[in-house]
């Protein structure tokens, strides 16, 4: 059997944790399995690297940021391979170059294009445990790229798909996917199974337990994922195409605080304005989420929308540089907002979820600023300070206690 195991930052935060991870990998190896291990940077390393960069420059080139951030994962894999060696089991660490993990060229937000499997296979054939750096790739210029925060999950799934692995296990600091972040909602329940589609919505809307692109890739290539604890031996959550268990109306509630709202006020009320604005942003790779347009008055209208808070600076810069094309009276930004969402495949056939959500928010005095829906989710934009309270209220409303 070929197993891909991924361990996140807190699971390799110090010497004891690294040995714990390595011993779990050796258990698998000693059963005769081929074991590939994807690791994240130790503990808060990535955040610390970001702070170092900010200390040097407020506007560091994106290429150099990736060069810096990718170092974190290289520390983890080399130390893990050393620990393995110290325990008498052959191991090797490989970075994105050595494997050849090819990505698009967008620094900070690259996507996998192709992963060469030859080197990994060669090392597995030599009966080594192979430790691979998560989160990084190489682009057509032979530069280092990174996949976006939390991207090591995506590395694991991409490698599992490329190697046609029999299992892809994501080990983290919680023992599975819950109906809400268990650190915010103490009554949150662990899910035995969840569909790719529901998990994709949850991951895209703030449940950082899995990187959203990892779920996208898992669905595309039919990789069955398991999310489990690196410290306890509890049964985890399986992410797959269809779930056997009875479909719940709501499978999860999420909050995404990495959200900012932009309002463009006093635009000419004429065809092509929305196209101009969103085309400019799309060309720079900025994802726009909830969009709201006001009803025109005196030949003027307003458009507001949300972007990731991490994209706010770039978004404002693009709007400023193109102010003559957009021709608005004013652009205003609000960083203190959050998206709260309910997700559930059962919603497709059940009316009243939206009303129930709005009622729960009303009961705790939370004001809704924008609303957006899809087949299997409802999202509201609210003030950031209300986010945790809102998640608890909505969770209480829909998820029955065990
Ligand atoms: P890792 O470093 O292992 O990749 P992350 O910090 O990226 O771990 O993701 C795990 C965290 O995700 C948990 O500690 C938990 O607080 C958070 N989380 C948010 N939503 C959920 C959810 N619905 N189920 C489980 N964990 C969640
Ligand atoms: N180390 C990276 C981060 O902190 C990637 C990851 O943990 O998945 O975002
Ligand atoms: Mg993560």
């Amino acid at each position: 059997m070929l197993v891909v195991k991924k361990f996140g930052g807190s699971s390799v935060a110090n010497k004891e944790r690294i040995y714990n991870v390595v011993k779990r990998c050796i258990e698998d190896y000693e059963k005769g399995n081929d074991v590939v291990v994807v690791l994240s940077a130790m503990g808060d390393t990535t955040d610390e690297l970001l702070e170092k960069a900010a200390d040097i420059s407020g506007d560091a080139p994106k290429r150099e940021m990736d060069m810096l951030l990718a170092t974190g994962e290289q520390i983890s894999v080399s130390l893990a391979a050393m620990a393995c060696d110290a325990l008498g089991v052959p191991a090797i660490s490989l970075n994105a170059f050595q494997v050849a993990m090819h990505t698009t060229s967008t620094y900070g937000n690259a996507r996998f294009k192709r992963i060469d499997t030859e080197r990994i296979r060669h090392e597995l054939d030599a009966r080594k445990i192979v430790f691979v750096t998560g989160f990084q790739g190489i682009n057509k210029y032979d530069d280092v790229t990174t996949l976006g925060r939390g991207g090591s999950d995506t590395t694991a799934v991409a490698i599992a798909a490329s190697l046609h692995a029999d299992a892809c296990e994501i080990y983290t600091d919680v023992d599975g996917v819950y109906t809400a972040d268990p650190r915010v909602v103490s009554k949150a329940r662990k899910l035995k199974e969840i569909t790719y589609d529901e998990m994709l919505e949850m991951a895209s809307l703030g449940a950082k337990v899995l990187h959203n692109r990892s779920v996208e890739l898992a669905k595309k290539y039919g990789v069955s994922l398991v999310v489990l604890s690196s410290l306890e031996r509890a049964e985890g959550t399986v992410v797959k195409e269809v779930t056997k268990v009875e479909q719940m109306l709501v499978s999860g509630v999420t909050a995404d605080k990495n959200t900012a709202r932009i309002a463009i006020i006093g635009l000419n009320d004429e065809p092509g304005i929305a196209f101009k604005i969103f085309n400019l942003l799309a060309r720079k790779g900025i994802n726009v989420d909830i969009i709201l347009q006001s009803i025109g008055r005196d030949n003027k209208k307003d458009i507001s929308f949300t972007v990731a808070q991490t994209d706010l600076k770039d978004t404002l810069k693009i709007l400023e540089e193109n102010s003559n094309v957009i021709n608005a009276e004013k652009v205003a930004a609000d960083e203190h907002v959050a998206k709260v969402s309910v997700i559930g495949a059962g919603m497709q056939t059940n009316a009243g979820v939206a009303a129930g959500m709005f009622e729960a928010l009303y009961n705790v005095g939370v004001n809704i600023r924008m609303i957006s829906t899809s087949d299997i989710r409802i999202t509201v934009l609210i003030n950031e300070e209300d986010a945790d309270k809102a998640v608890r209220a909505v969770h209480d409303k829909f998820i029955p206690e065990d």
Side-chain angles (χ1 to χ4, degrees):
M1 215 165 89
L2 195 160
V3 185
V4 175
K5 299 165 107 64
K6 179 260 169 178
F7 295 87
S10 50
S11 303
V12 291
N14 54 40
K15 174 181 162 187
E16 285 68 35
R17 296 268 173 99
I18 288 178
Y19 268 101
N20 167 60
V21 161
V22 166
K23 282 179 186 158
R24 290 192 78 152
C25 298
I26 291 175
E27 269 177 41
D28 239 333
Y29 171 88
E30 286 181 341
K31 287 181 197 153
N33 293 330
D34 286 332
V35 182
V36 180
V37 190
V38 174
L39 298 182
S40 295
M42 294 170 70
D44 297 327
T45 303
T46 309
D47 289 327
E48 287 158 15
L49 292 170
L50 282 168
E51 279 165 26
K52 278 197 169 69
D55 190 32
I56 292 280
S57 158
D59 194 21
K62 291 199 160 68
R63 178 196 181 276
E64 303 308 332
M65 285 305 297
D66 279 6
M67 190 72 179
L68 176 71
L69 294 184
T71 59
E73 272 63 19
Q74 205 160 315
I75 296 175
S76 307
V77 291
S78 50
L79 291 177
M82 289 175 204
C84 214
D85 178 76
L87 294 172
V89 174
I92 187 167
S93 64
L94 299 173
N95 66 15
F97 258 102
Q98 294 164 319
V99 172
M101 298 194 271
H102 303 273
T103 69
T104 55
S105 13
T106 326
Y107 301 107
N109 195 23
R111 286 170 175 262
F112 280 120
K113 284 167 66 179
R114 179 169 54 85
I115 294 182
D116 293 351
T117 53
E118 209 183 316
R119 179 72 191 268
I120 297 180
R121 288 230 182 262
H122 176 76
E123 303 298 349
L124 290 174
D125 288 346
R127 280 303 285 155
K128 290 181 195 163
I129 297 184
V130 183
F131 292 94
V132 180
T133 48
F135 182 54
Q136 56 178 259
I138 49 170
N139 67 13
K140 63 182 175 194
Y141 309 112
D142 271 356
D143 279 343
V144 178
T145 55
T146 63
L147 309 175
R149 296 305 305 269
S152 298
D153 301 326
T154 301
T155 308
V157 175
I159 288 181
S162 307
L163 291 170
H164 305 287
D166 300 289
C168 182
E169 302 163 352
I170 308 287
Y171 291 87
T172 183
D173 56 1
V174 285
D175 62 357
V177 179
Y178 280 71
T179 49
D181 187 340
R183 295 182 205 288
V184 176
V185 180
S186 55
K187 286 187 262 179
R189 285 166 52 177
K190 187 163 88 180
L191 299 164
K192 257 187 150 50
E193 299 180 334
I194 183 167
T195 63
Y196 290 125
D197 288 335
E198 288 169 304
M199 190 64 236
L200 185 56
E201 292 279 7
M202 280 182 67
S204 306
L205 292 162
K208 68 168 185 163
V209 61
L210 284 177
H211 192 231
N212 60 352
R213 235 170 280 141
S214 72
V215 187
E216 219 170 75
L217 278 186
K219 180 177 159 77
K220 187 166 170 192
Y221 295 102
V223 177
S224 165
L225 285 180
V226 194
V227 179
L228 331 120
S229 161
S230 64
L231 295 167
E232 291 157 43
R233 302 268 172 170
E235 211 178 305
T237 302
V238 179
V239 187
K240 58 184 202 174
E241 193 60 58
V242 273
T243 51
K244 284 196 300 284
V245 283
E246 197 186 332
Q247 210 171 51
M248 284 163 56
L249 175 60
V250 166
S251 53
V253 183
T254 61
D256 186 357
K257 297 178 184 170
N258 177 23
T259 306
R261 176 179 178 271
I262 292 173
I264 310 182
I265 295 156
L267 288 157
N268 288 336
D269 193 10
E270 61 190 27
I273 287 289
F275 164 68
K276 276 184 202 156
I277 295 173
F278 296 116
N279 190 43
L280 282 167
L281 299 178
R283 283 206 326 242
K284 297 281 182 185
I286 291 175
N287 280 328
V288 171
D289 197 21
I290 316 176
I291 302 174
L292 198 73
Q293 179 175 302
S294 70
I295 297 170
R297 41 158 170 86
D298 307 329
N299 288 328
K300 293 282 178 193
K301 66 182 172 189
D302 311 329
I303 291 182
S304 34
F305 56 91
T306 61
V307 294
Q309 209 173 93
T310 36
D311 283 337
L312 180 61
K313 216 166 85 183
D314 288 347
T315 307
L316 292 175
K317 197 167 147 201
I318 294 166
L319 296 176
E320 171 67 34
E321 282 168 3
N322 293 280
S323 56
N324 56 334
V325 187
I326 298 169
N327 208 1
E329 283 163 12
K330 197 172 111 189
V331 174
D334 185 352
E335 287 184 68
H336 305 289
V337 291
K339 277 183 283 191
V340 168
S341 309
V342 281
I343 293 115
M347 253 184 238
Q348 277 164 313
T349 50
N350 208 306
V353 176
M357 180 183 194
F358 303 154
E359 185 192 11
L361 294 173
Y362 166 64
N363 286 339
V364 289
V366 171
N367 189 33
I368 300 172
R369 300 177 55 176
M370 285 169 125
I371 300 170
S372 119
T373 63
S374 85
D375 274 7
I376 61 166
R377 73 161 166 97
I378 299 159
T379 301
V380 295
L381 190 79
I382 60 172
N383 289 338
E384 186 173 346
E385 62 193 25
D386 289 334
D388 291 351
K389 176 166 83 173
V391 169
R392 282 192 283 265
V394 174
H395 189 274
D396 264 0
K397 175 90 192 170
F398 290 109
I399 315 267
E401 275 191 60
D402 261 335

